[in-house]
Every structure is written in structure tokens, then in C-alpha cells.
Amino acid sequence: MSSDAGGKVMPKSRASFFLYGLLLYVLLPVLAVYVVAFALSPFYSGSRPPAGGNAVARLAAGADGVRNSSSSSSPSSAMIRGPPTPVARTKPRADAAPTGLRHIVFGIGASASLWESRREYIKLWWRPGKMRGFVWLDKPVPEYYSRNSSTELPGIKISADTSKFPYTHGAGSRSALRISRIVSESYRLGLPGVRWFVMGDDDTVFFPDNLVDVLSKYDHTQPYYIGNPSESHIQNLIFSYGMAFGGGGFAISRALAAQLARMQDGCIHRYPALYGSDDRIHACMSELGVPLTRHLGFHQCDIWGDVLGLLGSHPVVPLVTLHHFDFLQPLFPGARSRTAALRRLFKGPVRLDPPAVAQQSVCYDREKQWTVSVSWGFAVVVIRGVLSPREMETPMRTFLNWYKRADYTAYSFNTRPVARNPCQRPQVYYMRRSRMERRLRRRNANATVLTTVTEYERHRVVNPVRCRWRISDPATLLDRVVIVKKPDPDLWKRSPRRNCCRVVSSPNNGTNDRTMAVDVGVCRDGEFARV
């Protein structure tokens, strides 16, 4: 081959090899990078890929969505985006409504032999037309046959025959078998709209509004077993700290009741040696794997005597139930009967402000050096000297253990003596009257606000204690306490906290006015019970 320049000429085979190498090592990698960039970069794609595309396409679509939203004001982006996707509007479900009394079915375990007296307890708290439930008896009573039976009571049903179930406990009663099946029998009735099945005895007193406040915090579509053990440590050792005592009442969600109804008969067959109905329920709960959700507002009241110590320092939870009234003194001394005392409580404080019943507040009369403890709607305790809130929130031992010979260590909660010094023996003022008043607002004289007014009178003891302290004796100056408090229906919708109380006025020596005025309400910013 000739050359014009006279130099050497490259052979044809070597030139072809050079071109192939250039294509392989330079052009192909550049082309591959271009293809990858085209697939990944949103700037090379003007539309979203289909939803069913691969991962790379979905990633590109996500980037494209971000770009379009950030430049939505430009005309081009408006042309690219399609119309907004319509949102389907669903009708609110019936079970989306807040839990109320209509969603609860009560099952009351009772016996025909005690029906005459125990039905009076049920009349106190039952609300005809607003509540659903039945009293389950072992055999018919006159009301069962009468069409004109009292409308102040739930309907009456006779428990199914339980003779096929074994029962071998030597000290118990076979009635435990039928009572343990009340929740299952209530579930099988197929009542509509039921979220909770609540069990109690014929001498269990429920506080319905507070029960609703408690149950509304839980999801009834999940398995829940809600209640409380006994106040007696010995009782809990004999039975279980994980068992809800039936007299104090317990609640079972609909989801759990459905499971219980399917397996309970077989479960009862497996535990013939158990004593009562509540431990049989507990055994079935253990088989189902559902633990007890403890709530301190359910009270079995396995105690004797005066309930002042228990209710005077109630935990900061709603008061849900009380039990065993036949073994307790009347709530208010001087009342004609136990039911008359309870009627005073229900017709007054429970009607006016149910969440606040028996809720404790602690404050001080600093001038006289008195400690004032308010259990709203129940009692006010005034003590000489300054006792800390930590001590005042511990229940006084005004009662005996269920096992009367047991000492103070046999309770399932902390307790304290009534008085560590005779001079500090408390003066107790029990609720006598209550009403709702409309009063002027402090900051706006033209506006009014509803306020509860409760009056408490001193309980006079037979043998007063003599004391030489220079601190004034409340018994010699104070006969009456008047408490003003605004109703607070949302009390348990907030985090738990005691209300604050303020001593507004207090009697002095030489005056005829022997009344103390106290204001109770939500603690203001920075307010606390300062010692």
C-alpha cells in the first residue's frame, strides 16, 4: 500500500481490532449509563408508571409525584396531573358510638331465699328503661309470675339445670355452678348491641356512670376480664390475686364472652373441687390465657365494721362498686337502715356529680393548724396538727379484716392507725344534705354557673378524748362543713389526679358561726397540697 506522506500504513486487521475495542470499552458503557439514568431520573419521564410495575418504575413514580406537588402552580404540571381521586365516604358504624349504659348487660346472681331483702339494694342503682340485664335465681319468686311486678327491678330469669356438673368441695354450695354460668347464659340470649357483660351479686351496688367511664377506655372487640381482688390478703392467698372477686363485680368483653360460652361447660367439668363461682370463672380465664385487668374501683369489701377508712381515702379512680353491706355499718351513722343511707348517697352526690363521689382532697387550715381531708359526697375528716398528704391518702383502720383475728398486715393495701396520738383522733363530718345551685361567676357578674353544695354534720362520739394541746379542738369550734364544687363530668377523661381543696372560711372562738366553708375543684396552675 502506498502513502502520500511516505510513512508506514496501518494494516487493515489492526484497524478493525482498534474500532471493536473502542466500541466495547467506551461506547457500550456510556450507553449503559444513559439507559440506567433514563430509568431512574424523573427528568426523563413525563408520566407515572402503572401501579403494577417493577421496583425501579415505582421509585421513579414516587420521585415524579414529589416533583409535581412542588411545582403545582405551573401550567405544565396542571396539564400533566389528572383530576383528584374521589375519596369514598363511609357511613359511621353503629359500634363506633361511645360506650354507654345501653351497651352493657348486667347479670345479677341471686337466691330466692334472700330475694326479699337483697332486692332493695338492686333498686338503689338500677335505672329502668336505661339499663339492660337480668336477675338469675335458683327458683321462681312471686315477681317471676306476676305481670305487675316492680318496674324498679331488672327482669328475672331462672338459671339452667346444673345437675350434670360435678361439685366436690366440702364447704361450698352447688349454687356456685349456676352462678358461674350467668355470663355464658346472658351471651346466648343474643341481645343486640352488647359490648360488655357485667357480673355482680344481689348485694353488689353499682355506680353505673362510673362503670361506663371505666369500660369506655377498653376495646370490647378484644378479650378483657376486668375486676379486682379482695381487700383481704388472706382471701387472695386462698383464692388468687389474679382473680376478680364476684361480689365486687367484674366485666367481660363481648369478644371474651363469645369464647367463654363455647368452652365453659367443659371447663366446669374439669374443676369440680373449686369453692365458688368466681374461681371457676378464673380457671376458665386461665385456660383461655386472658389475665385479670385490675381496676381499684371494684370493691369486694371483705371487711367488717366502718367503711370510713376505705372510702375516706379512696384511690384516684372512679368508685365502681361496693359489696357486703350486710356486714358493714351504715354509710351514714344515724340513718334508719343501710339502704336508707345508700339512698341518701344516690339521690344526692351520685345524681349531682357521679365521677366525684368519694374522691379525696387534702388541704389545711393554717391558722388553726388543722388537716382537712374531703371525701366528696361522703365525709370530711378534720384532724389537729399537720399530717402530710402521703399519710392522709393511706386508709385508716376503721374496719376489721374478713378474718377478724388477723392483724394489719393481712390487708392487700397499706393502712394506718386511726390516730397515732390521742389528741389527733379525727373529727368526722358526714354528708347530710346536697343540692345544685346556680351561682354568679367570679370574673363575670352577669354569668352564672351550676355548682354543687354539700353539707356535712359532725358525728358526735360518746366519750370524747381529753387533750391538753394548745391547738384548737375541732369538736369545740366546728359543727358543720359546707363544700362548694362545680360538677366535672370529664374528670376521668383526663390523667388521674386528686382535686385540690381550699379552706375559704373557718370558725373562731367566741363566734356563733360554727361552719367551715371549703372550695373543691381542679387544681390550678402551680397549686398543690403544701404541708
Side-chain angles (χ1 to χ4, degrees), residues 95 102-105 132 183-184 186-198 215 218-226 251-262:
D95 60 355
R102 65 187 182 280
H103 299 116
I104 302 172
V105 167
R132 294 190 291 176
V183 171
S184 294
S186 299
Y187 174 80
R188 293 190 186 104
L189 294 175
L191 299 176
V194 181
R195 298 182 183 179
W196 294 94
F197 295 89
V198 174
L215 297 184
Y218 298 94
D219 183 0
H220 63 279
T221 65
Q222 299 296 317
Y224 277 106
Y225 167 51
I226 304 173
I252 289 180
S253 63
R254 182 182 182 87
L256 182 55
Q259 298 181 44
L260 179 65
R262 288 195 295 267

Side-chain angles (χ1 to χ4, degrees), residues 415-485:
T415 62
R416 63 182 175 91
V418 173
R420 302 184 188 279
N421 186 300
C423 292
Q424 291 187 307
R425 191 165 188 87
Q427 295 296 320
V428 184
Y429 301 77
Y430 287 98
M431 196 277 298
R432 182 65 181 174
R433 286 172 290 273
S434 58
R435 63 187 181 274
M436 187 78 77
E437 287 187 357
R438 189 173 292 277
R439 297 194 171 194
L440 295 175
R441 289 184 181 272
R442 294 179 181 176
R443 296 182 180 180
N444 188 352
N446 296 324
T448 59
V449 61
L450 286 176
T451 303
T452 65
V453 180
T454 48
E455 301 178 12
Y456 305 75
E457 294 182 357
R458 182 164 66 91
H459 176 56
R460 302 178 185 275
V461 296
V462 178
N463 297 314
V465 177
R466 294 183 179 180
C467 178
R468 296 182 179 180
W469 279 16
R470 294 183 179 180
I471 301 175
S472 301
D473 184 2
T476 62
L477 294 178
L478 186 60
D479 288 338
R480 182 169 164 264
V481 179
V482 177
I483 295 180
V484 175
K485 178 187 176 301

Side-chain angles (χ1 to χ4, degrees), residues 4 12 63 91 93 115 123 125 135 164 209 224 243 251 260 271 308 345 359 365 405 420 426 428 459 468 490:
D4 295 340
K12 184 176 181 180
K91 294 182 179 180
R93 297 183 305 169
W115 176 244
K123 290 179 181 178
W125 58 270
V135 176
K164 65 179 182 180
D209 299 291
Y224 277 106
M243 182 186 89
L260 179 65
Y271 300 95
L308 171 65
L345 182 69
Q359 294 306 307
D365 185 332
R405 294 185 179 181
R420 302 184 188 279
V428 184
H459 176 56
R468 296 182 179 180
D490 296 330

